[in-house]
Structure formats: structure tokens, C-alpha cells
Amino acid sequence: GVELAEVAPGVDIARDILGQMGFTPIVQDPKPMDPRLFRDAVMGLEPWLLGLSLSERISYDRERNILFSNLEGFQVRTIDDVELVRREYERACQEIGRKVHLIANYDGFEIDPTVSDAYFSAIAYLENRYYETASRYTTSAFL
């Protein structure tokens, strides 16, 4: 049969749903709906639906001391995104415990111009503190 699986915030199941129906659906344990659905702001679903988390984009080859960074298709739109990048790379490098050689894939990477200065400052900080060398590549350098 039909099951009530999710409920919007502030909705009373008995009054607002069951009381309006001509039949009784299965009601076991309805979960709250994602609150992002009810905000005016951008939901930020792309990474959740299509991509990897930032931590999944970072891998380390201990034998060669190379930190691989896959930022393909990654988008930096806000200062929070900049801080996430800085935090995740710093965490990875601190776990390694020594300076690394960075190889970064920037294919399809996008950055909002309003946060580019903050992003490049964070990258410079990471490079000075944690990287022996850094090689970055992309096929879309001028896009």
C-alpha cells in the first residue's frame, strides 16, 4: 500500500495529512524531510548527488610521498567552501606528518570570483606549510 515516508517540518501527521485523506496509509516511522527543501538558498545538492566528498578526492601514495588531489568538477562558491578545502587538505597533511609532493587535477574546477582571493590565500598557506612541490594541471585553463 501507500506509505507515509517523510514529513515536512511543522506538519502534524494526524491533522495535516491523515485527517485530509480518504484512506489510511501505512505509517511506520516517517522521517523529517531535508530542511534544504524549504530554504530560499541554493541547496548544494551537486556534490551529494553527483560527486565525491572532498575527503574522497584526496589520496596519498606513501611510497612516493605524493598527495593526489582530484578537484575535477569541484566548485568553490563561498568562504565556507574555501575553509572546507583548507581544513581537509590540512587534516590530510597533518596525518601524513611530513611535507608532500602535491599533484592536483583541476579539470572542470570552478571558483566564484568573489572568493578567489581567499581561495588562493588558502592554497598559498597550504603550499608554504605542507608541500615540498606542487604540480597542478587542467585542460580548461582559460575557461
Side-chain angles (χ1 to χ4, degrees):
V2 176
E3 180 177 358
L4 178 63
E6 291 183 315
V7 179
V11 169
D12 180 279
I13 293 173
R15 181 190 71 225
D16 300 328
I17 299 173
L18 301 178
Q20 306 299 315
M21 298 178 74
F23 67 96
T24 303
I26 299 166
V27 181
Q28 292 183 9
D29 185 24
K31 306 287 184 239
M33 294 175 75
D34 190 327
R36 293 179 291 187
L37 294 168
F38 305 96
R39 296 184 193 139
D40 289 333
V42 173
M43 291 176 66
L45 294 177
E46 292 125 299
W48 181 72
L49 294 172
L50 304 174
L52 301 169
S53 71
L54 191 53
S55 62
E56 292 172 309
R57 294 171 174 268
I58 302 169
S59 62
Y60 179 61
D61 180 333
R62 185 169 302 284
E63 186 175 302
R64 296 185 292 170
N65 192 35
I66 297 175
L67 185 69
F68 292 98
S69 168
N70 178 14
L71 292 171
E72 183 174 359
F74 192 75
Q75 298 174 340
V76 175
R77 295 181 176 150
T78 66
I79 292 296
D80 287 343
D81 294 339
V82 172
E83 179 57 22
L84 173 66
V85 169
R86 186 207 55 78
R87 188 176 56 245
E88 285 296 319
Y89 282 85
E90 187 161 44
R91 179 197 54 74
C93 290
Q94 286 175 346
E95 285 178 9
I96 293 165
R98 62 180 173 158
K99 285 193 169 194
V100 298
H101 301 283
L102 174 75
I103 298 178
N105 171 8
Y106 274 92
D107 274 349
F109 176 84
E110 294 180 26
I111 186 166
D112 188 294
T114 62
V115 298
S116 61
D117 286 346
Y119 181 78
F120 295 126
S121 292
I123 295 305
Y125 163 79
L126 292 168
E127 189 164 333
N128 289 332
R129 186 155 187 177
Y130 297 108
Y131 307 154
E132 287 275 337
T133 61
S135 299
R136 296 170 180 87
Y137 66 90
T138 182
T139 57
S140 57
F142 297 104
L143 296 179

